[in-house]
């Protein structure tokens, strides 16, 4: 904490890791964010959540949070104790964080002014952590409970977009009981969808990200295996038809006067991968084209759609919106990410860098936006 003679700096708790299959990517993102936060302006408290859900006090060591020699980092290796626990208050009148270890008196770590949650996937990006922070009365970076939940569930995300008149591609949803109670009927549902829209299909977990658990299925022979792979990450799955066209992304950032869109980026076809999967994104360092080679009219259109998607889902802070530019010149929105990756090769910060907002400025703008907001209904 700052000295008594100096103005107290806002204290930022960077919360990362978590129980989802995107644990490692969250750690990598946290490393980048911790390295970028202006320590002259903010005090920082790193809090990691282990894969089994323990909140741990971790080292403030961004250099230990990167992917090294294809090895993914994890919170357990960064934790200062194997069994110490960090507890956030669930009392909105107090923002004091407490650390405890078995056999030792609890230690008050001080108050937190804002939380920067860089968790991806369930139990972090899906509204669950946001609900805890609302109960605690602690401001936080990013979208609230509803927008986070909608942004995590591709089924309801597409329903919201459709209700607002935004263009989405064909899809089918298989809910947990459908596959568990009558897999033959669920399989037929997918086959009928393929009969209408054609093979190949993409089979995805409905509530996962970072391309986890996604399979491209060329025919019936590979369907069951793809479904089971998706269900390893989420019992609810979504099936999408192949949308031929260019993959274009656009970032949205909340400024004091409202959300604005970045220059878009293009994800080129990846030669060693059948689609832009986890390996291509994070291990093999696939590079996007920033800015995307679009006409001024196309750029304006995707920026308009990205902000419209941000507003439709009641998002706050930031969003990365992913689109397909079809051969007929029309954009179709694939999905939004309410907490997109901040890894060194992630597209969201790269798009804003090209738009004139550096990585440290981006992190600062997000923290400032969170500090402007109250918790509760707004």
């Amino acid at each position: 904490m700052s000295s008594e003679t100096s103005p107290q700096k806002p204290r930022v708790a960077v919360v990362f890791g978590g129980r989802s299959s995107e644990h490692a990517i969250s750690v990598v993102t946290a490393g980048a964010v911790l390295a970028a936060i202006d320590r002259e302006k903010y005090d920082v408290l790193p809090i990691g959540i282990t894969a089994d859900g323990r909140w741990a006090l971790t080292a403030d060591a961004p250099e230990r949070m990167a992917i090294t020699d294809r090895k993914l980092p994890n919170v357990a290796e960064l934790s200062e104790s194997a069994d110490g626990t960090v507890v956030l208050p669930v009392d909105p009148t107090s923002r004091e964080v407490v650390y405890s270890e078995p056999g030792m008196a609890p230690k008050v770590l001080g108050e937190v002014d804002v939380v920067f949650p860089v968790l991806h996937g369930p139990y972090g990006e899906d509204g669950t952590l946001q609900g805890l922070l609302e109960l605690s009365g602690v401001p936080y970076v990013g979208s609230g409970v509803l927008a986070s939940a909608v942004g995590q569930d591709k089924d309801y995300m597409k329903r919201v977009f459709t209700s607002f008149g935004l263009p989405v591609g064909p899809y089918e949803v298989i809910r947990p009981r459908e596959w568990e109670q009558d897999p033959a009927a669920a399989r037929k549902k997918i086959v009928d969808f393929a009969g209408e829209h054609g093979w190949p299909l993409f089979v995805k977990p409905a509530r996962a990200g970072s391309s986890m658990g996604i399979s491209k299925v060329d025919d019936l022979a590979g369907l069951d295996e793809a479904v089971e792979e998706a269900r390893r990450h989420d019992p609810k799955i979504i099936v999408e038809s192949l949308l031929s066209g260019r993959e274009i992304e656009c970032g949205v950032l909340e400024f004091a006067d409202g959300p604005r869109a970045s220059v878009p980026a293009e994800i080129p076809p990846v030669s060693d991968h059948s689609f832009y999967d986890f390996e291509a994104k994070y291990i093999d360092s696939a590079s996007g084209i920033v800015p995307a080679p679009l006409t001024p009219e196309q750029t304006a259109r995707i920026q308009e759609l990205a902000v419209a998607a941000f507003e439709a889902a009641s998002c706050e802070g930031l969003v990365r919106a992913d689109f397909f530019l079809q051969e007929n010149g029309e954009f179709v929105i694939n999905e939004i990410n309410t907490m997109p990756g901040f890894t060194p090769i992630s597209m969201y910060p790269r798009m804003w860098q090209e738009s004139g907002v550096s990585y440290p400025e981006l992190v600062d703008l997000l923290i400032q936006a969170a500090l402007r907001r109250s918790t509760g209904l707004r």
Side-chain angles (χ1 to χ4, degrees):
M1 300 292 289
S2 56
S3 67
E4 293 182 1
T5 58
S6 302
Q8 184 171 334
K9 294 181 289 187
R11 198 171 198 210
V12 182
V14 178
V15 180
F16 61 97
R19 294 162 55 190
S20 84
S21 54
E22 297 175 81
H23 177 99
I25 297 307
S26 174
V27 177
V28 176
T29 295
V33 170
L34 285 168
I37 292 179
D38 184 352
R39 305 308 175 96
E40 295 295 318
K41 190 172 182 179
Y42 304 104
D43 283 325
V44 177
L45 177 66
I47 301 174
I49 302 176
T50 63
D52 60 4
R54 178 174 64 92
W55 288 50
L57 189 63
T58 68
D60 185 4
E63 68 282 357
R64 294 173 54 194
M65 300 181 183
I67 298 174
T68 306
D69 297 327
R70 303 177 75 88
K71 182 180 182 297
L72 300 174
N74 65 76
V75 168
E77 294 176 346
L78 297 162
S79 177
E80 295 193 353
S81 166
D83 47 16
T85 302
V86 174
V87 179
L88 283 181
V90 191
D91 177 359
T93 65
S94 171
R95 293 181 180 176
E96 286 194 336
V97 176
V98 176
Y99 177 72
S100 62
E101 290 191 49
M104 297 179 63
K107 177 183 177 182
V108 176
L109 298 179
E111 292 193 350
V112 166
D113 296 290
V114 62
V115 170
F116 200 134
V118 292
L119 296 105
H120 305 303
Y123 312 110
E125 189 182 352
D126 61 349
T128 51
L129 177 63
Q130 290 74 15
L132 172 63
L133 296 172
E134 292 286 350
L135 287 173
S136 301
V138 180
Y140 53 92
V141 169
S143 290
V145 175
L146 174 65
S148 297
V150 168
Q152 187 64 38
D153 191 315
K154 295 178 177 65
D155 173 15
Y156 287 99
M157 181 197 307
K158 291 177 186 291
R159 293 173 187 267
V160 167
F161 291 159
T162 300
S163 72
F164 277 83
L166 297 173
V168 302
Y171 70 97
E172 186 62 83
V173 175
I174 304 296
R175 299 177 184 279
R177 281 195 297 271
E178 291 183 82
W179 189 259
E180 293 161 5
Q181 297 180 1
D182 195 346
R187 192 179 299 109
K188 182 179 184 301
K189 187 176 175 181
I190 300 173
V191 171
D192 289 346
F193 177 80
E196 182 179 356
H197 299 286
W199 301 90
L201 303 175
F202 286 93
V203 179
K204 305 179 178 182
R207 295 163 292 192
S210 293
S211 297
M212 292 284 191
I214 298 178
S215 300
K216 182 181 179 183
V217 183
D218 294 314
D219 52 41
L220 184 59
L223 182 58
D224 280 20
E225 182 180 354
V227 169
E228 292 302 335
E229 171 60 19
R231 282 172 51 82
R232 284 199 315 111
H233 299 269
D234 186 352
K236 178 182 176 182
I237 67 169
I238 188 165
V239 179
E240 298 174 349
S241 64
L242 174 66
L243 292 176
S244 58
R246 299 161 60 188
E247 291 189 52
I248 311 291
E249 299 182 345
C250 190
V252 180
L253 178 63
E254 180 184 351
F255 290 81
D257 60 352
R260 302 180 204 166
S262 69
V263 300
E266 179 167 6
I267 307 300
V270 185
S271 58
D272 294 334
H273 302 264
S274 60
F275 61 97
Y276 194 46
D277 61 6
F278 179 87
E279 290 269 328
K281 282 183 178 179
Y282 299 110
I283 304 298
D284 294 336
S285 302
S287 58
I289 302 168
V290 189
L294 301 171
T295 67
E297 293 76 18
Q298 289 172 328
T299 296
R301 175 59 175 160
I302 196 173
Q303 290 174 326
E304 176 190 8
L305 288 171
V307 172
F310 183 97
E311 299 282 33
S314 298
C315 296
E316 295 169 290
L318 72 164
V319 150
R320 194 194 72 231
D322 302 344
F323 297 83
F324 289 101
L325 175 55
Q326 299 182 102
E327 294 173 356
N328 63 3
E330 296 297 320
F331 284 103
V332 170
I333 186 167
N334 182 36
E335 65 179 24
I336 58 171
N337 280 268
T338 56
M339 185 51 69
F342 272 75
T343 68
I345 61 169
S346 293
M347 297 309 299
Y348 185 83
R350 287 183 60 194
M351 288 187 286
W352 279 107
Q353 176 78 41
E354 191 66 27
S355 304
V357 180
S358 70
Y359 193 99
E361 289 172 329
L362 178 59
V363 169
D364 184 65
L365 284 167
L366 289 169
I367 294 172
Q368 289 299 317
L371 288 169
R372 284 196 302 271
R373 292 195 301 265
S374 63
T375 54
L377 299 177
R378 53 187 182 273

